[in-house]
Amino acid sequence: MTPVVVAQITDCHLQDDPCQDYRGFNVEQHLDRVVENLLLQTPAADLILWSGDLAHHGGPEGYQRLSQRLTELPVPSYWIPGNHDDVTLMQQVGSQFGGQLNQRSLVTGGWGIILLDSTSEPDGQGGGSLAQCELDFLQQQLQRFQDCHCLVVLHHNPLPVESDWQDQIMLGNADQFWRVLGQHHHVRAVINGHVHQSSDRMHNGVRVMMTPATSVQFKAACQQLILEDDPVLKQPGYRCLELYPDGRIETSVKRVAG
Ligand SMILES: [Fe+2]
């Protein structure tokens, strides 16, 4: 059985000026190394899912630079916003590059992949929710893909991570999200960004995977934001997923030298 190979890249926090640091790191170089590493993987990725916080409160420059680069990759990319993104700008820039970046659902290898915008009702601290239209879209797509295994992608974590400050800014209406998923038996996995750390667990029969950032990592299980200082865990990271036609998932987090 040949799997669909999916790469998840998240929380790049690109600056308008590529030389400008984010929390003391050149995140542009971090992303370069992640993409370089991803393109060397075997089996090669069939597609890349970019799960938000791609630019850090920037103007159009960060998105223009990133989208230009994505269209030059030998692998198709799809992006969704995070709390630090400008949704309107992303949509505008994405549509300048053929519109595929903004595509919100696809079917491949017996899998339906659904991408959601969780940036509604921002609380000003980083939190966000799924608007009613996003919940409706999720419901419609799950019905449409009822003969597939499904992977749902969003920026905000739909489960707490036992870090007080992060649990306050997780997906605001996670209960509604899980209620929709609970009506369907073919949802195999959810992946998210936002937490800048890795996690992999089961919830209500669905595998929930959280993925390190390409920019900087946050230490797990903390009262407040502390940058990761473990020499391995602090490295820029991304996730590879192999989605098999029988619904099985193989996954690993890759880390690259920062
Ligand atoms: Fe982030």
Side-chain angles (χ1 to χ4, degrees):
M1 278 193 294
T2 308
V4 178
V5 182
V6 173
Q8 181 196 3
I9 294 183
T10 196
D11 295 271
C12 311
H13 289 266
L14 299 180
Q15 310 291 302
D16 261 2
D17 175 354
C19 298
Q20 168 98 36
D21 284 357
Y22 168 67
R23 296 188 187 275
F25 294 90
N26 185 323
V27 291
E28 201 86 12
Q29 283 178 6
H30 282 196
L31 180 59
D32 286 345
R33 287 173 193 159
V34 161
V35 171
E36 221 169 76
N37 184 283
L38 188 157
L39 294 177
L40 291 172
Q41 295 294 318
T42 307
D46 295 303
L47 58 101
I48 308 175
L49 302 171
W50 298 76
S51 53
D53 279 3
L54 306 183
H56 189 80
H57 299 304
E61 290 86 350
Y63 295 114
Q64 292 281 3
R65 212 164 59 245
L66 179 61
S67 54
Q68 177 70 49
R69 186 170 175 184
L70 299 194
T71 54
E72 290 165 3
L73 292 178
V75 185
S77 282
Y78 305 86
W79 70 11
I80 50 170
N83 48 292
H84 286 287
D85 286 304
D86 183 318
V87 181
T88 309
L89 259 180
M90 274 180 83
Q91 283 171 347
Q92 283 170 357
V93 173
S95 56
Q96 285 166 15
F97 286 87
Q100 180 197 273
L101 274 173
N102 295 334
Q103 195 178 317
R104 301 282 305 285
S105 68
L106 62 140
V107 177
T108 175
W111 281 76
I113 300 176
I114 303 164
L115 298 104
L116 302 174
D117 175 350
S118 60
T119 63
S120 180
E121 296 180 39
D123 62 359
Q125 306 299 313
S129 296
L130 295 164
Q132 187 57 49
C133 60
E134 290 295 308
L135 291 165
D136 294 344
F137 175 76
L138 174 61
Q139 183 73 269
Q140 287 157 9
Q141 297 303 305
L142 288 173
Q143 281 162 359
R144 183 177 155 221
F145 297 154
Q146 56 188 334
D147 297 327
C148 298
H149 307 290
C150 285
L151 170 69
V152 179
V153 190
L154 76 172
H155 178 70
H156 289 84
N157 45 311
L159 292 177
V161 291
E162 297 174 8
S163 263
D164 290 352
W165 72 277
Q166 290 190 297
D167 293 345
Q168 287 167 21
I169 55 169
M170 61 177 273
L171 182 66
N173 54 351
D175 51 342
Q176 287 177 288
F177 172 72
W178 287 111
R179 214 171 296 139
V180 174
L181 295 198
Q183 295 167 32
H184 301 271
H185 300 291
H186 57 311
V187 181
R188 302 282 168 256
V190 173
I191 56 174
N192 62 265
H194 194 48
V195 293
H196 293 229
Q197 60 196 256
S198 176
S199 164
D200 184 352
R201 64 186 130 147
M202 294 298 292
H203 180 75
N204 293 352
V206 177
R207 192 166 178 181
V208 181
M209 290 164 277
M210 310 191 190
T211 298
T214 67
S215 54
V216 298
Q217 315 307 345
F218 301 149
K219 217 176 206 353
C222 290
Q223 301 279 331
Q224 59 201 12
L225 192 164
I226 299 175
L227 288 185
E228 182 59 77
D229 55 4
D230 177 276
V232 173
L233 297 181
K234 74 178 187 184
Q235 294 179 323
Y238 67 102
R239 182 177 290 280
C240 284
L241 298 133
E242 295 181 16
L243 309 178
Y244 286 85
D246 62 359
R248 195 161 47 91
I249 299 168
E250 297 288 340
T251 185
S252 59
V253 168
K254 311 283 184 193
R255 307 208 183 242
V256 303

